[in-house]
Amino acid sequence: MGMPTARLTGLLLAAGAGRRYGGPKALAAPDGQAWAVTAARALLDGGCGDVLVVTGAQAEEVDGVLASAFGSDDRVGTTFCGTWQEGMGASLAAGLTSLVARGRAVPTAALVHLVDLPDVGPEVVARVLGAADPSGADSLARAAYQGVPGHPVLLGQRHWQAVLGDSRGDAGARSYLRRARPALVECGDLATGVDVDER
């Protein structure tokens, strides 16, 4: 897979309550492994130097599942979004703000991914990273599935402030990405990229 770089962090949004699904999708494990673990592994194996998981609903349980899966692997960490009920935009803002707070260790880019895309594996991550400079502060690319834009999305650091200004409700970075027009990386041969909303 991709070559890991500490300058690139996988930012996994996993804070939602999954009301339509019947519980937090970060904890969903229809195949025996929680989706939070599956997604974090995909980000690491696909080339991210580390992963920051944004938690919210049942955060302690999600923290426990991740700790059980990754043990002392310090490449996987969590940050709690106290306003997670406001939607994905709040989670994205919390994650980017946490990355900025790393000071001199702030990554130059973040690969934003969603926890409820269980068929998006490391191959997709690697392809998106391979189509752009994954450690470039100006990088802007996103996976597409049969031409439809999806996740993960590569956000170079220079885009973060504008994304933070737009991150509200469930829109996340949608309005900014519509204006900025990231490079689309076709991954429809690797996954559907469809989010799972119901069991």
Side-chain angles (χ1 to χ4, degrees):
M1 293 300 154
M3 290 295 292
T5 169
R7 302 291 285 163
L8 170 69
T9 292
L11 184 58
L12 179 60
L13 307 185
R19 289 182 185 87
R20 279 179 292 172
Y21 188 80
K25 288 184 270 187
L27 298 171
D31 296 318
Q33 184 172 80
W35 285 352
V37 174
T38 302
R41 284 218 168 99
L43 289 167
L44 289 174
D45 292 347
C48 294
D50 68 305
V51 173
L52 180 66
V53 183
V54 181
T55 63
Q58 295 185 33
E60 287 186 14
E61 289 90 336
V62 177
D63 284 346
V65 162
L66 290 167
S68 176
F70 294 100
S72 60
D73 188 342
D74 61 3
R75 294 178 302 161
V76 178
T78 64
T79 186
F80 177 70
C81 175
T83 56
W84 64 267
Q85 291 172 308
E86 294 177 11
M88 185 170 58
S91 296
L92 177 58
L96 290 176
T97 300
S98 182
L99 293 182
V100 170
R102 290 182 178 180
R104 292 177 64 181
V106 62
T108 52
L111 188 69
V112 181
H113 192 36
L114 308 180
V115 78
D116 59 355
L117 305 176
D119 78 335
V120 175
E123 299 84 5
V124 171
V125 172
R127 183 177 290 179
V128 173
L129 296 182
D133 175 5
S135 60
D138 290 315
S139 297
L140 190 64
R142 73 183 303 182
Y145 303 91
Q146 310 305 330
V148 179
H151 286 80
V153 178
L154 180 64
L155 290 176
Q157 190 190 113
R158 293 201 181 105
H159 298 281
W160 295 1
Q161 201 58 48
V163 169
L164 283 167
D166 276 359
S167 293
R168 294 178 187 84
D170 273 326
R174 194 177 305 148
S175 59
Y176 176 73
L177 293 174
R178 198 176 294 126
R179 296 193 307 273
R181 303 174 75 85
L184 294 182
V185 183
E186 180 57 49
C187 298
D189 58 317
L190 300 175
T192 66
V194 175
D195 62 314
V196 179
D197 274 338
E198 298 178 353
R199 291 182 195 271

